[in-house]
Amino acid sequence: MYIFDLEGSIISLVAPVVISFALCIFLCPLIIPLLQKFKFGQFVRDDGPESHLKKAGTPTMGGIIFLASILVCGLLTALWSKGSLPVLILTIGFGIIGFVDDFIKIKKKRSLGLTAIQKLLLQFLVTAGFLLYYFCISKQDTGLLIPFAGNIYFNMPLWLFIPFAFFVVLGTVNGVNLTDGMDGVATGVTLAVTGFFLLAAHFVNPEMVPIGAVVFGSLLGFLVFNAHPAKVFMGDTGSLALGGFVSAMALMLHMPIYIIIVGFIYLAEALSVILQVTYFKATHGKRIFRMAPLHHHFEECGYEETQITTAFIVVTIVLCVLAFGAFAI
C-alpha cells in the first residue's frame, strides 16, 4: 500500500521542479541572444504552410536550454536516485543526435540535416546503449503493466521484448519530432505526458520521481519562451531528446503500452505522415490530408495555430486522466 510521505515528496518532487524551472528561466534570456548572434535561425520548408514563412530566422536549437537544465539537475538527483541515470542516457543521447542534425541544417542553410539512414543508425546505437544499461546495470526485467487490466504484470519473452523496446523508443522519438511543428505544441503535449509519468512513478517506482520532476520543471520554464509567439524553437535537439525521455521513463516504469494512450498526439502525427506518403505513392499524387503532419492539415483547414496547439494539449491532458484511470483500476 502506498503511503504519502510529505517530507520525501518535497525533496523528490517539489525541489527538482522549482530548481529546474528557475534554471531554465535563467538560461533562456542568456542563450537565446547567443543563438541569434550565431545566426542559428529556423529554416522553414518551402512546401509548408505559408503562415510559417514569417517564422524564418527565429532562433532554433533551443532544446539545448532545457537539456542543460535537465543534465545539471538530473545529475544532482542521480546522487540519491540511480533511476535518473538510464533516463538521462537516452534523453541526452537523442539530444546529441538532434543537435548534430540541427547544426547541419544551419551550416548548410537547408531544412534537412542528417540523412534518414544516418539518423536511424545513430538512434539504433543510442537505444542499444540504453538497453544494455537497462538490463546489465539497472537489472530491469521484461515486465509490462497492462492498462485496464488491474495492473497485470506481463513478462514478455526477452527475444520479443528487445525489438519491442526498439520500436517503442524509435516510434516515440520520431512521433515527438513530427509533433514539433507549431509554437509550444511539443512542449505543452510532452509537459502533460511528463506529468502523467511523474504521478505514476509515485506508485510504481518512486526512484523515478526526481528525474521526472526535473524534466517537468525544465519544460515549464522553456514553455514561457516557446509559447506563441515563440521566441525560440526547440529544434531536433529538443524534440528528439524529449522523445528519448518519454520512452525511457515509460520503459523504466514498465509502462510503455501507456504511451499509446498518453502519447496519442505523437501517434496521430506519425500515422498521418505514414498514411499520406503511402497513399500519395500508391495513387500517384493523391492525398488523404491537405498537408502532413496532422497539425498542418488543421492549419490548411483554417484553424489558428493557437487553437490547434490548445486542442492538442487539452486532448493529451484528458487522455492522461484516462490513462491514470486505466492504471488505478
Side-chain angles (χ1 to χ4, degrees):
M1 179 178 174
Y2 177 75
I3 300 174
F4 184 76
D5 177 5
L6 180 60
E7 183 179 352
S9 294
I10 290 174
I11 295 173
S12 65
L13 175 60
V14 178
V17 169
V18 172
I19 293 170
S20 58
F21 172 79
L23 181 57
C24 206
I25 288 289
F26 173 75
L27 289 175
C28 279
L30 296 178
I31 296 179
I32 291 173
L34 290 177
L35 295 175
Q36 292 172 322
K37 179 180 179 180
F38 291 108
K39 302 187 185 302
F40 286 177
Q42 176 74 19
F43 288 93
V44 179
R45 291 167 42 192
D46 294 333
D47 57 346
E50 289 185 13
S51 61
H52 284 221
L53 294 177
K54 61 185 178 183
K55 297 176 184 285
T58 301
T60 188
M61 290 176 68
I64 61 175
I65 300 170
F66 62 75
L67 265 185
S69 175
I70 291 170
L71 181 59
V72 171
C73 298
L75 287 174
L76 289 175
T77 64
L79 295 175
W80 76 86
S81 173
K82 293 182 180 179
S84 299
L85 290 175
V87 177
L88 281 174
I89 288 172
L90 208 58
T91 304
I92 301 302
F94 275 101
I96 291 171
I97 296 173
F99 178 84
V100 172
D101 192 43
D102 283 335
F103 187 80
I104 293 173
K105 291 176 186 176
I106 293 164
K107 190 72 174 178
K108 296 191 175 182
K109 294 181 168 52
R110 65 189 192 192
S111 60
L112 294 175
L114 292 167
T115 65
I117 297 297
Q118 289 172 332
K119 191 180 290 188
L120 190 60
L121 178 61
L122 290 172
Q123 290 177 355
F124 261 94
L125 290 173
V126 171
T127 305
F130 165 78
L131 289 176
L132 280 173
Y133 194 104
Y134 183 87
F135 287 115
C136 299
I137 299 178
S138 289
K139 305 296 182 183
Q140 299 291 324
D141 58 29
T142 61
L144 302 174
L145 288 170
I146 310 300
F148 301 106
N151 287 325
I152 291 176
Y153 197 70
F154 170 69
N155 277 297
M156 184 180 286
L158 182 62
W159 63 268
L160 185 58
F161 181 85
I162 290 177
F164 170 76
F166 270 97
F167 178 78
V168 168
V169 174
L170 299 183
T172 303
V173 166
N174 289 290
V176 177
N177 185 231
L178 290 169
T179 303
D180 180 36
M182 296 187 301
D183 297 357
V185 67
T187 308
V189 167
T190 305
L191 194 57
V193 173
T194 302
F196 166 77
F197 283 119
L198 182 54
L199 184 59
H202 272 284
F203 296 91
V204 179
N205 182 1
E207 194 176 54
M208 302 303 300
V209 170
I211 186 62
V214 162
V215 174
F216 191 86
S218 298
L219 288 181
L220 271 179
F222 184 72
L223 186 60
V224 173
F225 296 86
N226 184 235
H228 184 80
K231 296 179 178 63
V232 64
F233 300 138
M234 68 172 66
D236 283 4
T237 306
S239 61
L240 295 187
L242 291 183
F245 164 75
V246 170
S247 52
M249 196 75 170
L251 286 166
M252 291 298 293
L253 293 174
H254 304 282
M255 301 177 74
I257 296 175
Y258 281 81
I259 295 178
I260 298 172
I261 305 173
V262 300
F264 174 77
I265 294 297
Y266 306 147
L267 179 63
E269 295 275 37
L271 284 178
S272 69
V273 173
I274 294 170
L275 290 172
Q276 185 85 324
V277 172
T278 302
Y279 190 73
F280 185 86
K281 291 181 178 179
T283 59
H284 305 289
K286 293 184 179 179
R287 292 175 170 83
I288 298 175
F289 305 100
R290 294 188 178 184
M291 189 177 291
L294 189 61
H295 56 263
H296 287 328
H297 169 76
F298 288 121
E299 280 187 288
E300 292 298 302
C301 289
Y303 292 96
E304 294 292 330
E305 182 175 347
T306 50
Q307 289 179 296
I308 301 165
T309 298
T310 302
F312 278 21
I313 294 172
V314 169
V315 166
T316 302
I317 292 172
V318 170
L319 290 173
C320 286
V321 173
L322 174 65
F324 192 75
F327 167 74
I329 289 176

